[in-house]
Amino acid sequence: MSRIYPDSHVEIQGLLARKYDSIMNIGTIGSYDRFIKAVVKAMNIQSDENILDLGCGTGRNACLMHTYLGENGSITGMDISEEMGDQFKKNCATYNNVVFKNQRVDIPFSDGKHFDTVFMSFVLHGFPHDVRLSVLQNIFDSLEAGGRFCLLDFSEFRMKDMPPHHRWVFKTFECKYAFDFVERDWKNILTEAGFADFDEHFWFKKYVRLLIAKKK
Ligand SMILES: C[S@@+](CC[C@H](N)C(=O)[O-])C[C@H]1O[C@@H](n2cnc3c(N)ncnc32)[C@H](O)[C@@H]1O
C-alpha cells in the first residue's frame, strides 16, 4: 500500500507492523512495558470513561487502559493499518466495550459521537505540521466539552542540545517531521487549538512526555 505522507515513519506496514510490539520491547531494552503501564496509570482513567485511541496500533495500550474501565466505559481504537487492526481486534477480542475502526485520523472522522478522552500515542509527530493542526481540530471536534486530550509523544527539546549518541539515534530512526515536532511549543499550539489546564509527565530522560490538556 502506498503511503499518504511518504516521508513519515508512523505509517507502519508489513513486517514492522506485524512485529511492532516486539520491536518496541527490544528498542527500549525491555523497559517499554513498565513505561506504558506508568503512562496509563498517570492518565487517571475513570471507570465510566469513553476513550478514543487515535492511531491505536496493536491494541497494547487499549488493553492496559481497559483494566481501569468498568462496564460503562468504552474504548474506540482508530487506525489506518489493517495489519495493526487485525492485532488490535485479536488482543481486545474478549472485551465487548472495545471496538476498532479502520479509519484515517487526519481527515474529519467524527460520526457525531463525542468522547471523554482522546489518547494519541507516538502518532502526531509523524505528520507535516499543517496536517497536525487538522488532526488537532478533529480531536477537538470529537471531544465532549471539558473532555481531555492525552498526547503521548516526544517532548520539547533542541536537537543541537542532545548528547551526540542520543542525536544519532534520533536522527537515524525518526522521520524528518519529528525534527520540527520536538522544537515546537506544544502548550502554545494546543492553547490556540482550544485546549487549556495542562498537566505533564516525563519519561526516558525527559525526551518523552504525556501532555494532558482539557477542551475549553
Ligand atoms: C508509531 S505507531 C504507534 C501505535 C500506538 N499508538 C502505540 O503507541 O503503540 C503509529 C500508528 O499510527 C497509525 N497511523 C499512521 N498514520 C495514520 C493515519 N493517517 N490515520 C490513522 N492511523 C495512522 C499507524 O498505522 C500506526 O499504528
Side-chain angles (χ1 to χ4, degrees):
M1 202 177 84
S2 63
R3 291 174 198 276
I4 306 167
Y5 308 106
D7 291 324
S8 175
H9 286 191
V10 298
E11 288 178 44
I12 298 170
Q13 301 173 353
L15 189 65
L16 267 184
R18 291 193 295 279
K19 297 287 172 200
Y20 184 77
D21 287 342
S22 306
I23 291 167
M24 293 312 289
N25 290 343
I26 294 164
T28 56
I29 325 168
S31 63
Y32 200 84
D33 209 41
R34 206 169 349 113
F35 153 68
I36 198 67
K37 278 182 181 153
V39 169
V40 173
K41 188 170 179 211
M43 286 171 66
N44 194 23
I45 293 170
Q46 305 302 301
S47 63
D48 58 351
E49 252 174 79
N50 292 305
I51 301 172
L52 176 62
D53 183 358
L54 293 181
C56 57
T58 65
R60 181 183 200 167
N61 303 340
C63 290
L64 283 174
M65 292 191 279
H66 185 267
T67 61
Y68 291 84
L69 293 181
E71 59 187 26
N72 292 329
S74 72
I75 300 174
T76 301
M78 209 177 264
D79 204 290
I80 199 176
S81 156
E82 281 180 25
E83 284 155 322
M84 290 295 195
D86 288 346
Q87 293 176 80
F88 185 102
K89 285 183 265 186
K90 194 171 161 209
N91 287 331
C92 299
T94 54
Y95 310 137
N96 58 14
N97 52 355
V98 180
V99 294
F100 175 77
K101 286 190 173 180
N102 187 206
Q103 202 162 312
R104 282 173 67 175
V105 302
D106 54 316
I107 52 176
F109 53 73
S110 179
D111 55 5
K113 184 170 160 66
H114 289 90
F115 296 85
D116 303 303
T117 297
V118 172
F119 177 64
M120 193 178 221
S121 163
F122 295 107
V123 182
L124 197 61
H125 72 261
F127 296 127
H129 193 63
D130 58 328
V131 176
R132 291 178 196 139
L133 298 181
S134 303
V135 172
L136 289 183
Q137 184 64 55
N138 295 342
I139 290 169
F140 186 89
D141 292 343
S142 61
L143 276 169
E144 295 281 5
R148 63 202 186 125
F149 174 36
C150 298
L151 174 63
L152 177 65
D153 215 312
F154 295 115
S155 61
E156 292 161 29
F157 50 87
R158 288 153 69 97
M159 284 174 62
K160 74 176 179 51
D161 295 338
M162 295 174 98
H165 56 292
H166 290 173
R167 189 165 53 241
W168 180 84
V169 171
F170 191 71
K171 284 187 87 164
T172 304
F173 293 104
E174 281 308 325
C175 58
K176 67 173 193 181
Y177 300 130
F179 304 161
D180 83 275
F181 180 91
V182 300
E183 306 220 343
R184 291 181 186 271
D185 179 344
W186 280 95
K187 284 187 204 157
N188 192 34
I189 293 167
L190 287 173
T191 302
E192 285 177 4
F195 294 90
D197 292 344
F198 299 103
D199 180 22
E200 55 189 346
H201 306 259
F202 295 91
W203 288 271
F204 295 117
K205 297 189 185 295
K206 288 200 156 193
Y207 287 128
V208 169
R209 170 175 65 180
L210 171 66
L211 181 59
I212 304 175
K214 275 206 184 130
K215 175 174 174 171
K216 276 192 259 185

